[in-house]
């Protein structure tokens, strides 16, 4: 039967009205059911089936519910597929190196552990003996891995890659990212640290180089130079050797090399500061000579001399300070300028015809280098007109004519003479007398023999001679000059000057008063000082002369004191020891040792009152007796 032939009664929903349920038996039977009448049971059952009550009408599902249902169904399908894929990936990769793993840049992910180790040996093997590139600060160098004891523990390297992750997210991400695990290094730590320390000392560590400017000669030029920049460089030092060893063990096979940290010592001048000074000042400064115009003579500063005098240093803010060394500039032009200068002379007393005469002083005229070179830095930047005018200054001498005249030096206030000079000893006494002659002391000023006479050396004019004035003792430069010291001491003693320090002879020489002698040279040839202070109200001048085997010292001034000398009694006599003589023996009976004293009393010449009393006690050692053969010579003559 076709659909269109079916009978579908029309039904108007609006025509349906609620009806009251009636008894089954009272309902008329439907005409289309059965032709035969129903029994009571069947009739009741049919009534129940055909009973019409309040049945609710169900509406179709909403669009949101239909979308949720479809989404849950799709998610379930995806989850099911994911579970299948996860299980498949887990089964296929069981026991292999995790995906995305690299070792020193070599990809080993997804390989079996055996294949991974084989690949690492193949790819990294050539690098095991190759120099390891090392970058430390501004230094690029290499480290020998063999000498440093670096090697690879292959099995431990593969083992540290780990196992396949169970986390689904990690497994998914492993398709898109790499994980570097590095090598496991086997090494002797001490050997590695020694190699690093040696590398640091020889190649990595260096002190800071401050920015500056250097110069090179220009070939074929007359004193020309070419400046060049000295670039600044921070100092650096590898201080953590152990930490550097840890970095090397982890990354020594990395293709990018190894970077080691260093401690930096920064410099103050920048490269820009160096080039600014070079371009704006230094290059123009040495572009040509500078002429100095003096009185009657010129001098020229050549570019090489200018370059030698330039000094460089930090100026703050990264700039380079440029200065000229005045001492080096003076040295460059000193000789040509000497002819235009005049040395000053101190006023001094000369003793002509037995009368002290004042020799006038002379002012000095010299170049004032500070004023002369003051405009130099401005002149150096000029391309032309590079000239300087020499400035001079006049200075008064240390001792002027007026000062010497006012000293009141007019008469002899103390004088002493000793004799028996000869040979090399007389030469040394003459040298010492010349150095002291003409010395002027102001009131209160102290004289020093060492300051006037200098070292007892050949450079000062002294010659070798026996130490002692009697010809005994070792031969030393300046030997015998103690006779001058004793003569000078006695002249100052008689003038009433104050003793400021002297040393007596070791044993007594009878050419001097007891306890009134002084030495000028020691047994080792070193100088021994003699000092005294001018205690007069006037100045004093020393006249020293050597003639006919004798030496005389006169102290000139204005007579103020009368001086007396009283020797004390000798005591504590000691016999001379006896000693054998050598091949060139000179026999001697020696001299006794003893203790003696001397008292000087100083009286005021005008009033006669005692001013001071000085007593000096001296102990002289015995002079050994020398035996030559079986005899002993007689005593030497005195003097």
């Amino acid at each position: 039967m076709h659909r269109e032939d079916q009978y579908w009664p029309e039904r108007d929903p609006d025509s349906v009205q609620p009806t009251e349920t009636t008894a089954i038996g009272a309902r008329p039977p439907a005409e289309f059911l059965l032709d035969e009448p129903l029994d009571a049971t069947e009739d009741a059952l049919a009534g129940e089936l055909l009973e019409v009550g309040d049945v609710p009408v169900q509406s179709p599902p909403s669009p949101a519910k239909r979308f949720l249902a479809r989404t849950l169904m799709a998610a379930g399908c995806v989850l099911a597929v994911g579970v299948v894929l996860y299980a498949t990936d887990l089964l296929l990769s069981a026991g292999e190196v995790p995906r995305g793993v690299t070792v020193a840049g070599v990809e080993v992910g997804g390989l079996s552990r055996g294949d991974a180790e084989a690949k690492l040996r193949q790819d990294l093997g050539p690098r095991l003996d190759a120099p390891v590139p090392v970058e430390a600060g501004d230094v690029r160098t290499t480290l020998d891995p063999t000498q440093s004891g670096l090697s690879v523990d292959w099995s431990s390297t593969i083992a540290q890659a780990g196992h396949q992750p169970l986390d689904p997210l990690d497994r998914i991400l492993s398709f898109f990212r790499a994980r570097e695990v590095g090598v496991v290094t086997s090494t002797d730590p001490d050997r590695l640290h020694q190699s690093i320390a040696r590398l640091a000392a020889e190649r990595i560590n260096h002190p800071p180089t401050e920015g500056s400017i250097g110069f090179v000669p220009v070939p074929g030029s007359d004193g020309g130079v070419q400046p060049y920049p000295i670039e600044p460089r921070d100092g650096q030092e590898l201080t953590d050797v152990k930490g550097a060893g840890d970095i090397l063990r982890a990354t020594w096979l990395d293709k990018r090399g190894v970077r080691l940290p260093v401690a930096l010592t920064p410099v103050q001048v920048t490269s820009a500061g160096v080039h600014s000074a070079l371009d704006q000042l230094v290059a123009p400064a040495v572009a040509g000579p500078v002429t100095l115009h003096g009185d009657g003579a010129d001098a020229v500063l050549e570019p090489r001399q200018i370059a030698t005098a330039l000094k460089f240093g930090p100026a703050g803010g990264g700039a380079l300070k440029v200065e000229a060394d005045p001492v080096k500039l003076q040295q460059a032009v000193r000789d040509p300028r000497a002819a235009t200068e005049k040395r000053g002379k101190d006023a001094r007393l000369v003793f002509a015809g037995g009368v002290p005469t004042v020799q006038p002083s002379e002012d000095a005229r010299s170049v004032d280098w500070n004023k002369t070179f003051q405009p130099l830095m401005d002149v150096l930047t000029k391309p032309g007109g590079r000239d300087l005018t020499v400035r001079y200054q006049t200075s008064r001498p240390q001792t002027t004519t007026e000062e010497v005249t006012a000293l009141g030096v007019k008469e002899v206030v103390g004088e002493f003479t000793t004799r028996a000079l000869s040979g090399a000893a007389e030469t040394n006494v003459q040298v010492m007398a010349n150095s002291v002659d003409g010395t002027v002391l102001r009131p209160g000023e102290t004289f020093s023999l060492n300051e006037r006479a200098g070292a007892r050396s050949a450079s000062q004019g002294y010659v070798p001679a026996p130490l002692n004035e009697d010809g005994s003792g070792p031969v030393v430069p300046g030997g015998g000059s103690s006779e001058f010291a004793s003569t000078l001491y006695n002249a100052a003693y008689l003038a009433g000057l104050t003793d400021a320090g002297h040393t007596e002879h070791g044993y007594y020489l009878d050419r001097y008063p007891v306890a009134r002698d002084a030495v000028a040279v020691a047994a080792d040839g070193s100088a021994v000082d003699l000092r005294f202070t001018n205690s007069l109200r006037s100045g004093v001048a020393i006249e020293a002369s050597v003639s006919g085997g004798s030496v005389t010292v006169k102290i000139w001034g204005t007579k103020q004191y009368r001086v007396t000398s009283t020797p004390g009694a000798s005591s504590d006599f000691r016999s001379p020891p006896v000693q054998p003589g050598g091949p060139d023996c000179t026999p001697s009976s020696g001299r006794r040792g003893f203790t003696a004293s001397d008292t000087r009393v100083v009286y005021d010449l005008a009033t006669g009152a005692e001013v001071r009393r000085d007593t000096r006690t001296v102990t002289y050692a015995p002079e050994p007796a020398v035996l030559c053969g079986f005899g002993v010579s007689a005593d030497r003559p005195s003097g």
Side-chain angles (χ1 to χ4, degrees):
M1 179 184 300
H2 296 286
R3 183 179 180 88
E4 57 271 15
D5 295 332
Q6 293 181 0
Y7 170 72
W8 296 93
E10 294 181 359
R11 180 169 176 261
D12 184 2
D14 296 334
S15 63
V16 178
Q17 299 293 329
T19 57
E20 189 177 300
T21 303
T22 59
I24 296 176
R27 184 177 182 176
E31 297 176 356
F32 58 88
L33 290 177
L34 295 172
D35 294 334
E36 294 182 1
L38 299 174
D39 59 21
T41 301
E42 291 174 343
D43 183 58
L45 179 60
E48 291 180 4
L49 293 176
L50 296 176
E51 182 180 3
V52 180
D54 295 329
V55 180
V57 179
Q58 293 184 358
S59 62
S62 66
K65 291 182 179 181
R66 289 196 300 271
F67 175 77
L68 178 60
R70 292 191 187 98
T71 301
L72 291 176
M73 183 177 294
C77 294
V78 170
L79 180 61
V81 173
V83 170
V84 173
L85 293 177
Y86 172 79
T88 303
D89 181 54
L90 188 63
L91 291 173
L92 293 177
S93 60
E96 294 183 346
V97 177
R99 271 188 303 270
V101 170
T102 62
V103 178
V106 178
E107 297 181 1
V108 293
L111 300 178
S112 68
R113 297 188 178 276
D115 290 343
E117 181 174 338
K119 185 175 182 182
L120 288 178
R121 287 181 179 273
Q122 178 181 356
D123 291 0
L124 298 182
R127 294 193 226 169
L128 298 182
D129 298 327
V132 179
V134 175
E135 177 182 346
D138 59 5
V139 172
R140 307 293 183 272
T141 184
T142 58
L143 180 75
D144 189 325
T146 302
Q147 292 183 356
S148 302
L150 293 170
S151 60
V152 177
D153 185 340
W154 300 106
S155 58
S156 297
T157 298
I158 299 299
Q160 79 171 353
H163 302 279
Q164 289 288 347
L166 298 178
D167 188 336
L169 180 61
D170 288 341
R171 298 188 68 85
I172 294 173
L173 293 177
S174 67
F175 285 100
F176 309 103
R177 68 183 181 186
R179 180 168 62 94
E180 172 65 37
V181 298
V183 298
V184 176
T185 301
S186 176
T187 186
D188 178 359
D190 293 338
R191 187 176 174 187
L192 177 60
H193 293 163
Q194 290 174 2
S195 295
I196 296 173
R198 184 167 54 252
L199 183 71
E202 295 177 355
R203 304 181 191 174
I204 295 176
N205 299 343
H206 60 75
T209 300
E210 198 61 78
S212 186
I213 296 173
F215 302 90
V216 293
V218 176
S221 67
D222 185 13
V225 293
Q226 178 66 41
Y228 64 90
I230 299 175
E231 294 294 340
R233 184 186 189 191
D234 290 340
Q236 66 179 36
E237 181 180 6
L238 192 153
T239 57
D240 186 2
V241 174
K242 183 178 181 300
D246 295 339
I247 295 174
L248 271 165
R249 276 191 293 269
T251 61
W252 66 284
L253 286 177
D254 195 320
K255 289 182 179 180
R256 297 169 298 180
V258 178
R259 177 173 293 180
L260 300 180
V262 293
L264 296 179
T265 302
V267 294
Q268 301 181 53
V269 180
T270 64
S271 178
V274 171
H275 286 272
S276 176
L278 175 64
D279 298 337
Q280 297 179 21
L281 180 57
V282 178
V286 296
V290 173
T291 302
L292 282 77
H293 301 285
D295 291 349
D298 292 343
V300 177
L301 275 173
E302 300 292 345
R304 59 179 176 80
Q305 295 171 323
I306 297 173
T308 301
L310 292 180
K311 300 188 301 182
F312 306 98
L320 181 65
K321 179 172 61 176
V322 183
E323 296 178 314
D325 187 339
V327 175
K328 292 183 178 179
L329 292 172
Q330 292 176 34
Q331 292 172 346
V333 295
R334 176 177 297 163
D335 291 342
R337 300 272 55 76
T340 68
E341 295 180 310
K342 178 184 176 182
R343 297 185 62 180
K345 291 183 180 180
D346 287 336
R348 61 189 301 264
L349 287 169
V350 295
F351 303 93
V355 179
T357 304
V358 178
Q359 188 177 72
S361 61
E362 294 181 7
D363 292 343
R365 183 174 186 269
S366 59
V367 175
D368 188 334
W369 295 109
N370 289 333
K371 290 184 178 179
T372 298
F373 289 121
Q374 187 173 4
L376 176 63
M377 299 308 293
D378 293 333
V379 171
L380 291 178
T381 59
K382 297 180 180 179
R386 296 164 65 91
D387 299 282
L388 289 175
T389 300
V390 177
R391 306 296 181 183
Y392 292 89
Q393 61 185 353
T394 300
S395 58
R396 293 176 62 82
Q398 184 176 358
T399 305
T400 65
T401 303
E402 295 77 14
E403 290 173 333
V404 174
T405 302
L407 288 176
V409 177
K410 60 183 181 180
E411 57 189 331
V412 175
V413 297
E415 179 180 359
F416 199 79
T417 300
T418 58
R419 296 175 176 81
L421 283 173
S422 64
E426 183 175 6
T427 300
N428 292 327
V429 170
Q430 180 71 68
V431 171
M432 190 168 287
N434 292 342
S435 66
V436 173
D437 184 47
T439 300
V440 175
L441 298 177
R442 294 175 175 82
E445 189 174 358
T446 298
F447 170 88
S448 168
L449 180 61
N450 281 354
E451 291 179 2
R452 300 294 302 185
R456 318 307 187 244
S457 62
S459 62
Q460 298 291 335
Y462 295 97
V463 297
L467 174 67
N468 300 311
E469 296 90 300
D470 61 359
S472 64
V475 175
V476 296
S481 60
S482 294
E483 180 150 348
F484 178 81
S486 294
T487 305
L488 177 61
Y489 172 78
N490 277 278
Y493 176 98
L494 296 173
L497 306 185
T498 302
D499 180 18
H502 73 283
T503 303
E504 292 85 356
H505 290 77
Y507 61 89
Y508 176 64
L509 296 176
D510 57 8
R511 66 182 66 192
Y512 312 122
V514 174
R516 285 171 49 185
D517 59 301
V519 297
V521 63
D524 61 357
S526 60
V528 180
D529 203 8
L530 162 65
R531 297 169 63 86
F532 53 84
T533 300
N534 177 16
S535 52
L536 303 180
R537 288 189 293 270
S538 69
V540 298
I542 303 173
E543 180 186 3
S545 61
V546 177
S547 177
S550 66
V551 55
T552 298
V553 175
K554 295 178 181 180
I555 306 294
W556 292 78
T558 298
K559 205 165 184 63
Q560 181 180 343
Y561 300 126
R562 178 175 63 86
V563 177
T564 64
S565 173
T566 304
S570 300
S571 62
D572 191 21
F573 290 97
R574 285 159 293 160
S575 300
V578 178
Q579 65 181 29
D584 299 327
C585 177
T586 300
S588 170
S589 59
R591 288 189 178 89
R592 292 188 302 172
F594 62 94
T595 299
S597 64
D598 175 82
T599 299
R600 180 180 70 164
V601 182
V602 179
Y603 299 93
D604 186 275
L605 191 62
T607 64
E610 182 178 321
V611 176
R612 64 178 180 273
R613 180 184 295 263
D614 305 317
T615 298
R616 188 173 184 86
T617 301
V618 180
T619 297
Y620 295 103
E623 180 185 4
V626 179
L627 294 179
C628 299
F630 298 98
V632 180
S633 71
D635 289 343
R636 310 178 187 166
S638 297

